Amino acid sequence: MPNTCSVSIRSTNRRGAPSCVVTRDAASGRAFYVFGSPWFRGERKTPWRVLSFREVTAFVNLQEQLRQARGMEAMGSLVAGVAHEVRNPLFSITATLDAVDSTMGERPEFVEHAALLRSQVGRLTQLTRDLLDYGKPSALQR
């Protein structure tokens, strides 16, 4: 496979100032910094451009991964915040169930409903634990 790449420069600076663009070769997926510097040929002549290329595929890929990681971090913080806010009402529901249970005792019409409510509160409590675990930053490992 030849070590060539076709890259198109979309923007040129006509005033002769240096310019830099990041571009990807569609065929190979490689990323390049393309630097353009003016080469003045004399008065009233359009300056030429001296182009130099530098392959930065690994660097650009790392930048994309960092952007993705930051988005996931933000999502984790949001999820943890929601889970934390849901825990407070769940605690209140559980405390109210305990109070009603101590008042009503073992009445048959209440026992079935209380068991259902406790099981659903348990499911929501487990869900909030899972969400909080998801939102925690991962531990660094060597």
Side-chain angles (χ1 to χ4, degrees):
M1 177 196 291
N3 195 9
T4 60
C5 173
S6 62
V7 177
S8 64
I9 307 280
R10 291 184 204 102
S11 62
T12 58
N13 190 333
R14 296 185 186 269
R15 292 184 301 232
S19 61
C20 176
V21 295
V22 178
T23 187
R24 276 199 186 262
D25 178 38
S28 68
R30 293 168 32 194
F32 295 90
Y33 280 153
V34 181
F35 301 97
S37 299
W39 180 15
F40 295 100
R41 301 182 300 145
E43 221 173 287
R44 296 182 188 250
K45 289 188 176 180
T46 305
W48 288 351
R49 304 290 281 163
V50 176
L51 298 178
S52 56
F53 299 82
R54 181 174 190 184
E55 184 176 1
V56 290
T57 306
F59 180 70
V60 169
N61 289 343
L62 282 173
Q63 284 180 324
E64 289 171 4
Q65 289 173 2
L66 180 60
R67 266 191 295 280
Q68 256 185 347
R70 285 184 178 160
M72 293 301 289
E73 179 184 0
M75 181 65 72
S77 295
L78 176 67
V79 165
V82 168
H84 180 73
E85 290 301 317
V86 168
R87 284 175 95 182
N88 294 333
L90 286 176
F91 177 74
S92 297
I93 293 169
T94 303
T96 303
L97 270 174
D98 291 342
V100 170
D101 192 25
S102 68
T103 305
M104 302 282 261
E106 294 291 321
R107 290 187 180 173
E109 67 272 8
F110 172 71
V111 171
E112 184 180 331
H113 297 296
L116 177 63
L117 284 171
R118 285 190 191 284
S119 71
Q120 296 305 310
V121 166
R123 285 182 59 207
L124 288 172
T125 301
Q126 183 59 47
L127 176 64
T128 57
R129 277 192 208 120
D130 293 344
L131 290 173
L132 286 169
D133 287 343
Y134 174 78
K136 284 182 187 174
S138 58
L140 294 176
Q141 295 180 2
R142 284 188 158 187

